[in-house]
Amino acid sequence: PFQRTLSIIRNFSVKEDFSVKFPNSTTSEFKKLNQFILEMMTKARKDYLALKEFSENASHEIQTPLSIAQGKLELLMESKELNEEQMELISSALYALKRLSKLGNSLALLTKIENQEFSDFTKVDMTKLVTRFVFDFKELVELKEIKLLSEVTPNVSVTGNLVLLELLVTNLLNNAVRHNFFGGNIFVRLGRDFFEVKNTGEPIKGGVENIFRRFKKGSDNPDSLGLGLSIVQRICTEHGFEIKYEAIDEQHCFTVRW
């Protein structure tokens, strides 16, 4: 009976509806234990659903008024009666609204990842994925006159969630562009068992030990929310990958290994 109870606990998931039947036992201690475990499972499932519903509703309901406010401010900016100071104030308010909207989406995404809502893993062609995003980023890096080089090994595949792996690659590339010098360098490398992004940029402020913490910003870049690398680390944890940061030859290097 004890081993069967352990098996039920191991197979329990708050994401899935459950209907368990514990083994019959004449031992009163086993009966009390099984009843307690069943109550805990029920409560955990109930708390998970409540938190999931709250995060989804909050994310959706917050975005609606933000979109309305943003639209009205954009209409106001088209007015010909505004002076320069008023235009600057409206632009500042629009920028703050866009940051708030982006922040809400990022936190909602982190919650979904932590709740393991991206559990549909398939075989993903990393060669194709990385090649596509390197091409997509070329126009963006040209705006800062950044030299982008890549070394992509053919026929590299991993088992994972396509949406999360796309986020992993884009967040690391975004990070390399956003925190780079004007006229700097980015080197992207995909191997059989790793993905690496190396870029020039200002030294990270403070210690690097907290670089993956939420809202930890390694620079004064106003466009950074401090969540991109937290999302990357969470995606790696979800897939069982290892991510490491190093400063090599005055460059920032992020390496993901699987």
Side-chain angles (χ1 to χ4, degrees):
F2 179 72
Q3 294 299 330
R4 288 179 62 188
T5 297
L6 282 181
S7 178
I8 291 172
I9 296 173
R10 289 193 188 100
N11 294 325
F12 171 70
S13 172
V14 292
K15 296 186 300 177
E16 300 172 1
D17 196 8
F18 71 97
S19 177
V20 298
K21 185 177 181 181
F22 286 95
N24 293 323
S25 175
T26 57
T27 306
S28 60
E29 286 79 6
F30 275 128
K31 290 181 179 179
K32 291 179 182 178
L33 176 64
N34 291 343
Q35 181 61 33
F36 176 76
I37 293 172
L38 182 60
E39 291 172 359
M40 290 294 292
M41 285 180 171
T42 303
K43 186 177 185 305
R45 169 74 175 165
K46 183 179 178 181
D47 291 346
Y48 165 76
L49 291 175
L51 180 61
K52 182 173 180 289
E53 183 179 11
F54 169 78
S55 61
E56 289 174 351
N57 290 344
S59 177
H60 179 267
E61 295 302 325
I62 288 173
Q63 293 301 321
T64 301
L66 285 177
S67 298
I68 293 172
Q70 184 177 326
K72 291 185 180 297
L73 286 173
E74 288 173 350
L75 286 173
L76 186 60
M77 284 192 72
E78 296 176 5
S79 175
K80 297 179 181 179
E81 300 176 359
L82 297 175
N83 58 40
E84 186 176 344
E85 183 181 356
Q86 290 171 329
M87 289 287 287
E88 289 179 358
L89 289 172
I90 295 173
S91 296
S92 177
L94 270 173
Y95 177 75
L97 284 174
K98 288 178 180 178
R99 277 181 59 85
L100 184 57
S101 177
K102 187 178 178 182
L103 178 63
N105 288 331
S106 297
L107 288 173
L109 174 63
L110 271 170
T111 302
K112 288 182 178 181
I113 296 173
E114 289 170 352
N115 288 340
Q116 298 180 331
E117 294 183 34
F118 297 90
S119 56
D120 51 332
F121 283 18
T122 58
K123 189 175 182 180
V124 178
D125 188 337
M126 288 298 292
T127 298
K128 183 178 179 180
L129 190 151
V130 172
T131 302
R132 173 163 59 90
F133 282 117
V134 167
F135 177 80
D136 290 344
F137 269 80
K138 282 187 177 179
E139 290 184 4
L140 188 60
V141 299
E142 286 173 359
L143 292 174
K144 294 181 71 171
E145 296 185 7
I146 295 172
K147 186 177 181 181
L148 175 60
L149 299 174
S150 61
E151 184 181 294
V152 180
T153 302
N155 303 318
V156 177
S157 297
V158 298
T159 299
N161 180 275
L162 177 60
V163 174
L164 293 185
L165 292 177
E166 287 179 341
L167 278 170
L168 172 71
V169 174
T170 53
N171 277 10
L172 286 177
L173 288 175
N174 263 321
N175 186 73
V177 174
R178 182 181 294 122
H179 300 290
N180 214 322
F181 296 127
F182 189 86
N185 299 296
I186 296 176
F187 181 47
V188 179
R189 195 157 62 114
L190 175 69
R192 289 292 172 195
D193 58 353
F194 71 90
F195 172 64
E196 182 179 88
V197 178
K198 187 187 296 184
N199 65 278
T200 51
E202 293 285 351
I204 290 178
K205 293 189 175 183
V208 300
E209 63 275 3
N210 296 321
I211 194 170
F212 296 107
R213 283 182 57 190
R214 295 186 187 186
F215 303 110
K216 172 66 178 179
K217 297 172 67 171
S219 72
D220 295 325
N221 192 314
D223 293 328
S224 175
L225 294 174
L227 286 173
L229 292 177
S230 296
I231 292 173
V232 167
Q233 186 189 44
R234 193 65 219 181
I235 291 171
C236 289
T237 301
E238 185 73 7
H239 286 78
F241 298 164
E242 176 192 11
I243 183 166
K244 183 172 68 172
Y245 166 79
E246 292 178 293
I248 303 176
D249 299 329
E250 298 183 349
Q251 295 191 33
H252 305 288
C253 181
F254 290 91
T255 306
V256 178
R257 295 189 178 276
W258 47 79

